[in-house]
Amino acid sequence: MKGTLRYLAGIAGPNGFGSRSTAEQVTQHSFFPCSHLTAIITGGTSGIGAETARVLAKRGVRVVMAVRDMKKAEMVKERIVRENPEADIRLFEIDLSSLSSVARFCSQFLSQDLPLNILINNAGVFSPDLEFSEEKIELTFATNFLGHYLLTEMLIEKMIDTAEKSGIEGRIINLSSVIHSWVKPDCFSFPKLLHPIRYNGTRAYAHSKLATILHAKELSKQLKDRNANVTINAVHPGIVKTGIIRAHKGLFTDSLFLIASKLLKSISQGAATTCYVALSNETKGLSGKYFADCNETNCSDLANDESVALKLCTQSRALIHVYLDESQKHSLLNVCLM
């Protein structure tokens, strides 16, 4: 209730930004020499992802859009370049629900010999009905978590190398959600995440968003152990009127959705926390944290459980080795942390 009242009042947090801050506002005085940065953003064809791409490009960042729909991506690129003719936007195709597609994307990106300073794991889906990926993994978990897990693992060495050569801290941002706090410890089971017995779309979405925080916690520990100049954090963008929210509507009571609708952020406000964590000097050195409304905040006890985080990442990596073919396994072994 306290957080809701703060949101409705538009109260700023300790850093001066809050729920009403926009992505442009929080990046006006970015610390980083943005013109020398390269960022990958997944799911940049609409909503928060498209706004994040636009604002980062406006600040001089080279933006690599990893997208499923290339036609929509071309339209987003055209809009960004129309506003900012100097924008450097690169488009690559990826289907995050497909491990083989993720591996192909990484191979294609790495062949470009571009630096990689920022990785924004933004793409997300909500499936009201039980669906499976081409690897027969539940679609929401495959897209929102497992695809991004593999993407990060295959690109982490490039990020570490870029940070070493440039002296600029690399940053990974995982898009999560406050809904992660709905998950109870006895319900978070890896086999059931892959193949649910009793499927519920909202529960599957919450599980996938919890997994993104746990991933940030575990990878942060690994990066610190290596003294790597790369951080990873999770962010809750807020309740934004996007396609995912509309998909959720049928699962909420009318009264709950009415309450939620009063808390909706604009898309630019929804992209603010991602952009803040990606570019702000105030987040330098912060890793394994959870942000909302552009400020560090608390996540659930389960999301802070180090043993659960380690188990999830260990099981995820083992699963990836089962599905990828031998040549892809070889490439993965060359770039993974563990």
Side-chain angles (χ1 to χ4, degrees), residues 227-276:
N227 293 316
N229 190 22
V230 177
T231 64
I232 177 169
N233 293 288
V235 305
H236 166 51
I239 306 173
V240 184
K241 195 171 184 180
T242 63
I244 286 179
I245 287 295
R246 288 191 292 272
H248 272 288
K249 183 176 180 181
L251 298 172
F252 289 120
T253 65
D254 289 341
S255 59
L256 280 177
F257 191 80
L258 178 62
I259 294 171
S261 68
K262 303 299 183 182
L263 304 177
L264 292 179
K265 288 184 176 184
S266 70
I267 288 175
S268 187
Q269 290 169 343
T273 304
T274 297
C275 292
Y276 174 76

Side-chain angles (χ1 to χ4, degrees), residues 131-310:
E131 298 180 76
F132 291 95
S133 69
E134 67 179 38
E135 286 95 2
K136 308 304 179 185
I137 298 169
E138 190 278 310
L139 188 66
T140 301
F141 185 72
T143 305
N144 296 359
F145 170 69
L146 201 59
H148 282 124
Y149 175 85
L150 175 59
L151 180 71
T152 305
E153 290 287 274
M154 295 192 75
L155 295 177
I156 193 65
E157 291 298 334
K158 168 59 74 172
M159 294 197 71
I160 292 173
D161 181 64
T162 299
E164 288 179 351
K165 290 178 177 177
S166 66
I168 300 172
E169 180 181 86
R171 297 186 176 183
I172 305 168
I173 296 95
N174 284 357
L175 269 286
S176 185
S177 170
V178 69
I179 201 175
H180 82 271
S181 61
W182 294 10
V183 181
K184 297 179 181 179
D186 57 354
C187 296
F188 194 70
S189 163
F190 193 72
K192 291 180 181 178
L193 293 174
L194 304 178
H195 306 103
I197 298 173
R198 294 185 182 88
Y199 182 76
N200 176 281
T202 302
R203 182 169 58 235
Y205 186 76
H207 283 167
S208 72
K209 292 304 180 179
L210 170 62
T212 65
I213 302 177
L214 292 168
H215 176 217
K217 298 284 185 180
E218 174 57 25
L219 183 53
S220 175
K221 287 180 58 182
Q222 295 180 21
L223 291 166
K224 287 177 181 176
D225 288 343
R226 293 185 61 178
N227 293 316
N229 190 22
V230 177
T231 64
I232 177 169
N233 293 288
V235 305
H236 166 51
I239 306 173
V240 184
K241 195 171 184 180
T242 63
I244 286 179
I245 287 295
R246 288 191 292 272
H248 272 288
K249 183 176 180 181
L251 298 172
F252 289 120
T253 65
D254 289 341
S255 59
L256 280 177
F257 191 80
L258 178 62
I259 294 171
S261 68
K262 303 299 183 182
L263 304 177
L264 292 179
K265 288 184 176 184
S266 70
I267 288 175
S268 187
Q269 290 169 343
T273 304
T274 297
C275 292
Y276 174 76
V277 176
L279 295 181
S280 175
N281 184 41
E282 294 179 353
T283 59
K284 186 177 181 180
L286 295 179
S287 193
K289 308 299 183 182
Y290 175 66
F291 289 81
D293 296 335
C294 302
N295 285 266
E296 184 182 342
T297 190
N298 296 322
C299 52
S300 70
D301 290 342
L302 182 56
N304 278 315
D305 192 318
E306 293 182 358
S307 63
V308 174
L310 175 60

Side-chain angles (χ1 to χ4, degrees), residues 40-45 64-70 91-106 108 119 121 123 143 147-148 150-152 155:
I40 290 177
I41 303 174
T42 66
T45 55
V64 175
M65 295 175 59
V67 300
R68 186 173 58 178
D69 191 326
M70 293 291 282
L91 306 181
F92 288 81
E93 188 172 8
I94 190 172
D95 179 355
L96 282 155
S97 73
S98 164
L99 297 178
S100 59
S101 176
V102 173
R104 281 194 301 273
F105 165 84
C106 291
Q108 292 168 358
L119 173 60
N121 292 321
T143 305
H148 282 124
L150 175 59
L151 180 71
T152 305
L155 295 177

